Amino acid sequence: MAPIHSLGAVAAALNDMAAAEIVEDGVQSWFRSVWMAEQRPLAADVWVFSPDYLSVLVVDHPWRGLVPPGGKVEPGETPREGAARELAEETGLVLDIAAAPVFAAVRSYREDLPPTLNLSYWSVASPVTARLVPEADQPALWVDIESAWRTYHADDAQVISGFAERKRRER
């Protein structure tokens, strides 16, 4: 199988994984062994918070529920570039996103797909002034960070909430 991603994109993924604030156990060894042996698509998303870190922007995915804007990193893109592109496509927002991701995890987004690396970046936007232009089949909306919003990977909502809490304490 031919490589999906350029050496530069793979190097960026490795660097970003190492720089992530939160890395799930075993992700780095899994990437170097399983992912590198059979290259798969990379995934990236953006956690967009309100300035007070009490709300997060999500898209209502048809079968994954409420999830941060994101998706597959295209060939030729770094994960960060893919995250920014997906954010713009799914919400209409063009934001400065963090240089390094906050979260690195191994995820499968459908039962019939193998797991892959997902890198989650973050940014801040005001729900009052951010003009959302969502995709037709995926409405974008702000949710209370502490609400019980449904998402495909339930543990991710807790990780997002914990990160938001840390950012509130830093302010």
Side-chain angles (χ1 to χ4, degrees):
M1 173 184 246
I4 297 171
H5 299 283
S6 68
L7 290 176
V10 173
L14 281 165
N15 288 338
D16 282 359
M17 193 178 2
E21 183 175 325
I22 306 162
V23 180
E24 280 188 336
D25 289 341
V27 169
Q28 291 177 337
S29 63
W30 174 88
F31 187 81
R32 285 186 167 87
S33 60
V34 176
W35 192 92
M36 291 296 286
E38 186 178 319
Q39 227 186 72
R40 301 158 181 193
L42 294 167
D45 57 33
V46 182
W47 302 350
V48 180
F49 297 98
S50 58
D52 60 7
Y53 293 92
L54 294 175
S55 298
V56 65
L57 180 64
V58 295
V59 295
D60 193 354
H61 189 275
W63 49 269
R64 287 183 17 213
L66 302 176
V67 294
K72 186 168 80 169
V73 176
E74 297 295 334
E77 289 181 320
T78 65
R80 185 174 181 272
E81 291 166 344
R85 177 189 47 76
E86 288 284 347
L87 174 65
E89 289 175 0
E90 295 182 1
T91 68
L93 296 179
V94 177
L95 301 173
D96 288 330
I97 63 171
V102 66
F103 188 46
V106 176
R107 294 286 180 265
S108 178
Y109 294 96
R110 283 192 349 215
E111 290 182 16
D112 61 332
L113 292 177
T116 194
L117 175 68
N118 185 81
L119 294 168
S120 297
Y121 299 83
W122 68 280
S123 189
V124 174
S126 171
V128 174
T129 60
R131 183 171 177 269
L132 301 179
V133 183
E135 292 179 319
D137 63 340
Q138 289 189 155
L141 62 144
W142 293 91
V143 295
D144 180 335
I145 200 85
E146 298 301 326
S147 68
W149 49 284
R150 62 179 170 59
T151 187
Y152 193 68
H153 295 101
D155 292 346
D156 290 359
Q158 295 171 339
V159 176
I160 293 168
S161 176
F163 177 75
E165 175 61 32
R166 284 193 301 283
K167 297 308 275 182
R168 284 193 299 271
R169 282 194 306 261
E170 289 173 8
R171 292 184 26 220

